[in-house]
Amino acid sequence: MNGNTYNMINVTKTFFPPIEDYQKQLQRIWDNQWLTNNGELYKEFSQKLKEHLGVNHIIPMTNGTLPIQIALNALANGGEVITTPFSYVATTATIVWEKCTPVFVDIHPEYLTIDETKIEAAITDKTTAILATHVYGNPCAVEVIEAIAKKHKLKVIYDAAHCFGVTYKGQSIFNYGDVSTCSFHATKLFHTGEGGALFCQDESTRQEMFYRHNFGHDGPEKYHGLGLNAKMSELQAAMGLSVLPYMKHIITERKRVCDYYDAHLDFSQLNKLKLREHTDWNYSYYPVIFKTEKELLKVKARLENQNINPRRYFYPSLEELPYVSSENCQIAKDIAARVLCLPLNIELSNKQVSLIIKLINYD
Ligand SMILES: *Cc1c(COP(=O)(O)O)cnc(C)c1O
C-alpha cells in the first residue's frame, strides 16, 4: 500500500459506523462475558433484522456462502442444479462443493438474471433444484420460476447476496423461493464485517437449516443429522447492530449518486441495467454495459489513470471456470465482457461523480 490510498476512489467503500456505537455494543459483550452461540446480541440482531426486512424466518450466519451451501446440502441432494452463469463465483462454487452438477442457463440480455424461458429445456430427470441470483439486487422472474419448480417438483434457492432491503410487489425479495440467502460482507450494502443470512418461509425448513448450521446439534448430546459450523458470533452481531440504524441514510446517499449517474452519463454510448417491474431497488451497484469490450478497457484504463477503480463485476462468465464444463452461454459471456461497475458509496461527492462521468463520456 502506498500513501496515496486515501486519494483512491474504489468501486465500493465499507461503511464504518461511529466507533462509539460499536463500543457501546462491545461493552454489552464484555458485560455478558459471552462471545457466540445464541448470545444476547445475536438474538437482538436477528429480531431487528426480521422486523427491518419484513421476512418470515431468518438465520444469521458467519458469511453469505455457507447459507447457500447449507441450502444446497438440504435441498439439492447431489443432483443437477440449474443456475446462472452471471453472478459471483460463490454461486457456482457452492454447487460443485456440495457435489452437485451446475447446469448453466443463459441470462436475459437486459435484466441480466437467468432467462426463465430457457429453464425448462435444461431440466432432466437428475435435476433437483434451481439456484438463481437476483444479480445487482434485480429480482429474477420469481413467479415463472416458482411455477416451473412446482410443475417439475424442484426446489428453488435464491442467491440474494445483493438484495438487502429490496422489495418485489411490496414484500421482501427474501420471502421468495424455498430458501434465499444474503451476504453481509464488508463490501456489500449492509455488513457485519463478514456475515450473511439464510431466509425461509416455514418453520420446518428453518429447523432443518438451523441444525445444519450448528453441527447438527439437537441438544448437547444428541444429533439431528450432518452439520457444520456457520454460526454468527456476538462480535459480528455487534457490528450489525451498529450499522443497521444507518441503512436509511446509506440508501438515500447511494440513491443520490445513482441519480447523478443517471442524469449525466451518455446513454447513447452505454446501456444500463433494466430493473424488473414492481421492484423497489436498493442502489447496491451501478453497472454500465459498453458497446464493446475494447471500449470498456479503454475507459477503465482512463479511470485507473486518475486513481479511480471500477470493477469488472461479473467477469468472467461462470461457465468459464476451470472446474465446470462449459455450456456456452453466449449472452452471459458477451455481457460479462462489456459490463463495468462504477464507484458507488455514500462518501462520493457530486464533484467526484462528475469527474468520473466526464472520463466516461469523453471519447
Ligand atoms: C458476495 C457474494 C456471495 C458471497 O458472500 P460472502 O459473504 O462473501 O461469503 C455470494 N453470492 C454473490 C452473488 C455475492 O455477490
Side-chain angles (χ1 to χ4, degrees), residues 84-235:
T84 174
F86 192 67
S87 183
Y88 183 58
V89 67
T91 317
T92 299
T94 47
I95 295 173
V96 177
W97 198 268
E98 286 301 317
K99 303 273 187 279
C100 299
T101 308
V103 174
F104 294 98
V105 165
D106 213 346
I107 58 170
H108 188 280
E110 291 176 293
Y111 295 119
L112 309 185
T113 48
I114 195 166
D115 186 341
E116 65 280 4
T117 65
K118 295 179 180 162
I119 289 177
E120 278 200 286
I123 296 174
T124 72
D125 56 5
K126 295 201 191 88
T127 310
T128 52
I130 299 168
L131 169 56
T133 301
H134 304 307
V135 72
Y136 308 124
N138 196 25
C140 299
V142 288
E143 287 100 348
V144 179
I145 291 174
E146 189 180 329
I148 294 170
K150 216 174 224 161
K151 182 170 154 197
H152 296 274
K153 299 195 165 53
L154 306 176
K155 298 293 183 182
V156 179
I157 303 164
Y158 285 116
D159 181 342
H162 308 156
C163 292
F164 192 93
V166 170
T167 64
Y168 175 70
K169 295 196 171 164
Q171 69 162 314
S172 172
I173 193 67
F174 299 137
N175 287 347
Y176 293 85
D178 292 285
V179 165
S180 288
T181 67
C182 192
S183 167
F184 306 154
H185 185 258
T187 55
K188 300 297 204 287
L189 181 63
F190 168 79
H191 78 89
T192 56
E194 293 272 1
L198 181 147
F199 303 90
C200 59
Q201 319 317 333
D202 59 76
E203 177 54 28
S204 68
T205 308
R206 193 199 70 84
Q207 270 295 339
E208 276 301 317
M209 303 298 159
F210 193 89
Y211 283 131
R212 276 177 172 76
H213 106 297
N214 184 26
F215 301 105
H217 268 296
D218 183 9
E221 295 173 2
K222 211 175 125 206
Y223 293 95
H224 170 79
L226 184 66
L228 43 62
N229 179 8
K231 296 189 304 292
M232 173 176 275
S233 80
E234 290 291 89
L235 292 161

Side-chain angles (χ1 to χ4, degrees), residues 309-320:
N309 298 303
R311 241 188 104 170
R312 298 187 75 180
Y313 280 146
F314 291 94
Y315 177 84
S317 176
L318 296 173
E319 48 149 16
E320 311 210 317

Side-chain angles (χ1 to χ4, degrees), residues 243-306:
V243 174
L244 193 58
Y246 294 92
M247 286 316 293
K248 217 175 153 178
H249 168 66
I250 290 169
I251 290 191
T252 304
E253 288 303 303
R254 293 175 77 100
K255 179 175 186 305
R256 170 183 58 81
V257 176
C258 289
D259 287 349
Y260 205 92
Y261 278 131
D262 280 349
H264 300 288
L265 278 170
D266 178 3
F267 290 106
S268 70
Q269 299 304 313
L270 298 167
N271 278 330
K272 54 184 249 189
L273 176 68
K274 182 175 176 184
L275 285 176
R276 195 165 301 275
E277 301 70 16
H278 313 294
T279 299
D280 200 0
W281 190 50
N282 63 359
Y283 306 92
S284 48
Y285 296 86
Y286 200 96
V288 288
I289 303 164
F290 289 83
K291 291 211 159 122
T292 62
E293 183 174 22
K294 201 171 144 210
E295 187 65 23
L296 176 148
L297 292 172
K298 195 172 84 183
V299 170
K300 184 168 175 272
R302 206 188 284 152
L303 290 165
E304 282 166 353
N305 205 23
Q306 302 288 322

